[in-house]
Amino acid sequence: MSFLDKLLDGGNVEWMPLGKFIKLEKGKQLNKELLSESGLYPAYNGGISFSGYCDIYNYDGNKTIISQGGASAGFVNFITTKFYANAHCYVIIPNVEKVDNKFIYHLLKLNQKRLMTKQHGAGIPALKTNEILNILIPIPCPENPKKSLEIQQKIVIILDTFTELTAELTAELTARKQQYNYYREQLLTFEEEKAEWKSLGELFEFKNGINKGKEFFGKGETIVNYTDVFKNKKLFAENIKGKVETNASDRVRFNCKKGDVFFTRTSETRDEIGYASVLLSDISNCVFSGFLIRARPITNMLLPEYCSYCFSSTVIRNKIITSSNMTTRVTTTGTILSKIKIPVPSIKEQERIVFILDKFDTLTTSISEGLPKEIELRKKQYEYYRDLLLTFPNYSIEA
């Protein structure tokens, strides 16, 4: 008998909508003034990680949350501590008499990729509640709630073992990334005589991107989209998959060329505003999204690769975030960005900084060696057993 056969012991499995077993709640808007870099509780607002700290909370720990808005909409996370769920964060409240809390988490993690493909909106992605509530989940032995919970809990013990291994390795990688961030900040901190501080308005001209109706997307010319910038500090032709129909005037007004810096212009979450990415390829007939701001260099004082690191530094990121407008949605503008000052060392010094940080970047992000490879292997192992244990092969009796 297979492991699942032994677990079920003659019982059956029924696939039913998740909405029958959970309550889906949405967090509440948190005033900007209450967020800080330190505090008692992390505040989640739709990002993959928390967006800051505050001294109040609206949920106890051991909760599954799902990102509702932004590039990470659909991302599933499990929070063990008390936390504040902001307006773009879904919180799962399970009926614990019928389903195990962590069993639901693992099932949602199984469906994470599908949820992230259900993002709607041509600009800032978002996720509708019915995409979550209508997920079909397997319930073992539904006619016997006590036995059902026992089976769920045995599956959770196995899967938690793999996630704990991954967490330990991830903590080690986080330490290495912190080391990288430390050196990045050190390399990008200059004494006055070592670098000039220039406002971005002295170095770039700014322009908002193209706005088109939904019917224009999916075919036509290449377009740099919000998620391209959010996910990549450096942009190459192979990173950019979006298409949009344009005319000759569009391609002149909203053209892209090597060396352009793009900033995310608007966001559902504080931590996603003003992300920067530098285009390092020449792409013919390429335009950029209206949810982005293009910063085109007007001097020869900056290396494009240096820009990719400078704009991701903590000091510059904080300047962008704190200068942005925050109401129901976070926004920035070319006028706001033009006032921000950055350090501009000599080209030779920029080349040295880029060389060192490229090395660190490779060490911390490469999936072919070291900790990232080990984490990737453990994740695949977890996913293999999760898929095996939560799809109940030979028991797929759907509602």
Side-chain angles (χ1 to χ4, degrees):
M1 295 173 67
S2 71
F3 178 73
L4 287 175
D5 288 335
K6 291 178 181 178
L7 266 183
L8 292 168
D9 191 25
N12 69 324
V13 175
E14 288 188 29
W15 290 72
M16 292 181 269
L18 177 64
K20 285 188 175 184
F21 302 94
I22 69 158
K23 181 181 177 183
L24 186 62
E25 297 183 351
K26 194 176 181 183
K28 295 182 179 180
Q29 186 69 36
L30 184 69
N31 291 335
K32 171 189 173 183
E33 293 76 18
L34 298 177
L35 271 179
S36 65
E37 293 182 15
S38 61
L40 297 175
Y41 311 106
Y44 288 84
N45 193 30
I48 290 176
S49 63
F50 54 86
S51 53
Y53 290 93
C54 60
D55 291 330
I56 58 173
Y57 69 93
N58 54 6
Y59 286 96
D60 289 320
N62 296 318
K63 294 287 190 297
T64 299
I65 64 171
I66 302 176
S67 171
Q68 181 271 337
S72 58
F75 182 82
V76 179
N77 205 349
F78 191 81
I79 312 303
T80 58
T81 63
K82 293 176 180 177
F83 67 101
Y84 193 96
N86 217 318
H88 301 289
C89 176
Y90 288 131
V91 182
I92 307 298
I93 309 297
N95 180 349
V96 293
E97 293 182 359
K98 295 183 178 180
V99 288
D100 181 83
N101 187 26
K102 288 297 290 288
F103 184 72
I104 293 298
Y105 162 73
H106 289 297
L107 280 168
L108 283 167
K109 204 66 178 173
L110 175 66
N111 283 276
Q112 177 177 279
K113 287 182 181 178
R114 189 183 73 81
L115 286 173
M116 294 186 81
T117 65
K118 297 295 183 179
Q119 297 174 355
H120 70 276
I124 302 299
L127 184 67
K128 296 177 181 177
T129 57
N130 65 338
E131 297 293 352
I132 300 169
L133 297 174
N134 291 338
I135 293 173
L136 290 176
I137 64 168
I139 302 297
C141 304
E143 70 285 352
N144 187 339
K146 182 179 178 181
K147 181 178 180 181
S148 180
L149 282 171
E150 288 174 354
I151 294 170
Q152 293 174 43
Q153 288 159 3
K154 287 179 181 178
I155 291 172
V156 166
I157 289 170
I158 295 169
L159 296 179
D160 277 356
T161 301
F162 290 112
T163 57
E164 286 164 11
L165 285 170
T166 303
E168 290 173 7
L169 292 167
T170 302
E172 179 67 17
L173 180 60
T174 298
R176 295 290 167 262
K177 286 185 175 181
Q178 288 173 342
Q179 187 180 35
Y180 157 69
N181 290 339
Y182 170 81
Y183 282 108
R184 182 191 62 199
E185 300 305 315
Q186 290 297 310
L187 287 165
L188 293 171
T189 301
F190 298 93
E191 298 175 4
E192 287 189 12
E193 65 273 14
K194 297 291 185 180
E196 293 183 76
W197 282 79
K198 296 279 190 181
S199 69
L200 295 186
E202 298 176 85
L203 301 167
F204 299 94
E205 61 177 11
F206 297 91
K207 184 172 181 58
N208 290 353
I210 191 170
N211 287 302
K212 290 281 188 178
K214 293 180 182 179
E215 67 274 15
F216 289 92
F217 288 87
K219 55 186 175 180
E221 285 68 50
T222 303
I223 182 170
V224 178
N225 279 317
Y226 180 99
T227 50
D228 298 324
V229 172
F230 181 77
K231 293 179 178 179
N232 303 281
K233 290 196 299 287
K234 300 174 184 177
L235 273 177
F236 299 92
E238 58 266 27
N239 302 130
I240 306 168
K241 307 297 182 184
K243 297 290 182 181
V244 65
E245 287 185 322
T246 61
N247 55 42
S249 175
D250 293 333
R251 293 190 289 275
V252 171
R253 293 169 61 207
F254 307 105
N255 70 88
C256 305
K257 66 180 184 180
K258 186 177 179 180
D260 284 346
V261 180
F262 298 99
F263 293 88
T264 54
R265 183 176 68 83
T266 182
S267 173
E268 300 286 356
T269 66
R270 182 175 183 265
D271 56 340
E272 291 181 10
I273 192 64
Y275 259 74
S277 183
V278 184
L279 183 61
L280 297 177
S281 297
D282 280 316
I283 310 172
S284 60
N285 296 326
C286 180
V287 295
F288 63 102
S289 165
F291 291 93
L292 301 174
I293 298 172
R294 183 190 70 195
R296 176 157 289 171
I298 56 176
T299 74
N300 294 319
M301 298 177 70
L302 293 170
L303 292 176
E305 295 84 356
Y306 172 79
C307 290
S308 71
Y309 291 116
C310 181
F311 290 124
S312 65
S313 71
T314 301
V315 170
I316 305 303
R317 286 285 304 132
N318 285 342
K319 287 183 178 182
I320 293 171
I321 290 169
T322 55
S323 64
S324 299
N325 298 317
M326 292 191 181
T327 52
T328 55
R329 179 174 285 181
V330 192
T331 59
T332 190
T333 65
T335 301
I336 290 172
L337 293 172
S338 68
K339 297 175 183 178
I340 292 172
K341 290 189 173 184
I342 64 168
V344 183
S346 67
I347 292 295
K348 184 176 180 180
E349 178 63 9
Q350 291 181 45
E351 288 174 341
R352 186 183 77 88
I353 291 168
V354 168
F355 176 80
I356 295 170
L357 292 180
D358 275 351
K359 293 288 187 183
F360 271 107
D361 205 34
T362 300
L363 286 170
T364 54
T365 60
S366 172
I367 61 170
S368 61
E369 57 184 314
L371 283 170
K373 179 182 178 182
E374 183 69 15
I375 292 170
E376 190 66 23
L377 289 172
R378 292 294 159 259
K379 284 182 177 177
K380 286 180 179 178
Q381 192 176 32
Y382 161 72
E383 289 168 2
Y384 171 81
Y385 283 102
R386 181 195 63 197
D387 295 354
L388 184 68
L389 292 169
L390 296 180
T391 55
F392 291 92
N394 302 323
Y395 293 93
S396 298
I397 305 170
E398 296 193 356

